[in-house]
Amino acid sequence: MYVTVNRILVMATKDFGQSLKEWRVSQELTQRDLSDAMGVSRGYIGDIEAGRSEPSRNFLIRLQERFGLRADYILYGAGDPVAPETPAPPPRPAPLDQFKLMICGEEVRKIYAALGLDLPSETHFKEVVWFYNELLSRMTDPEDGDELEALLPDIRQLLKTRLSGSTGS
């Protein structure tokens, strides 16, 4: 069977009308239900199912929009009839908190100085990022200044331990 989609003749490997009918029946829809939902006549649905008419491009698009039914399933009989939902876009990362970054930078500088270590700018940046991420991962309320103050000693100690282990002290 050949079907015209976007003015291109496509060979359907499965009878479109039969596929549509099988899907419609599986959804417990009558021809009237489907025609009402699609904005077409019941006769048009009957003609498609009987193979007397080809579906229009708009009809295929509306099947996708209204029911999630994939045109390639209807035309070729391949895969899952219902298109998977479009995944939600990933959440946007929270903006960096400049104040917390400043605190983390100062903490890293103090720890390096206390241990007598040089602090090149590239290392400083990496350590500040580590300190900041460690701080945020432990905070239950990023806006709570008291919680931030309570967490700083633990993260300072973690950094000191990391540095002591890497310098062989």
Side-chain angles (χ1 to χ4, degrees):
M1 174 182 175
Y2 290 92
V3 178
T4 306
V5 178
N6 288 341
R7 291 187 243 167
I8 299 172
L9 193 61
V10 177
M11 184 176 151
T13 57
K14 189 172 183 185
D15 179 75
F16 178 85
Q18 185 61 38
S19 295
L20 180 63
K21 183 176 182 177
E22 288 170 8
W23 172 81
R24 178 182 57 76
V25 169
S26 77
Q27 299 300 304
E28 299 179 1
L29 295 170
T30 65
Q31 285 184 345
R32 173 65 60 206
D33 295 334
L34 182 58
S35 67
D36 289 347
M38 295 293 291
V40 297
S41 71
R42 192 216 52 81
Y44 181 65
I45 300 293
D47 286 346
I48 291 172
E49 289 182 354
R52 292 186 296 268
S53 183
E54 293 178 1
S56 70
R57 176 179 175 269
N58 287 338
F59 182 82
L60 294 172
I61 291 169
R62 283 193 307 251
L63 274 175
Q64 169 73 39
E65 291 173 349
R66 298 200 176 131
F67 297 101
L69 189 62
R70 293 184 13 244
D72 58 337
Y73 168 78
I74 292 292
L75 295 173
Y76 309 114
D80 187 8
V82 178
E85 289 187 28
T86 306
R92 295 187 65 162
L96 291 175
D97 184 318
Q98 297 296 322
F99 181 69
K100 284 185 188 80
L101 274 174
M102 183 181 72
I103 290 170
C104 294
E106 188 59 26
E107 291 296 327
V108 167
R109 190 192 61 70
K110 286 178 187 175
I111 292 167
Y112 267 74
L115 295 174
L117 299 172
D118 289 331
L119 185 58
S121 60
E122 184 178 311
T123 302
H124 187 232
F125 176 77
K126 288 177 186 177
E127 294 293 3
V128 169
V129 168
W130 175 87
F131 201 99
Y132 180 82
N133 287 331
E134 194 65 35
L135 180 65
L136 288 184
S137 71
R138 293 166 180 250
M139 292 187 78
T140 54
D141 180 4
E143 302 301 318
D144 186 351
D146 292 334
E147 183 183 17
L148 181 140
E149 287 294 326
L151 289 170
L152 285 177
D154 291 339
I155 300 171
R156 280 187 208 113
Q157 188 56 49
L158 273 176
L159 182 56
K160 287 177 187 175
T161 304
R162 279 184 51 221
L163 292 172
S164 296
S166 67
T167 60
S169 303

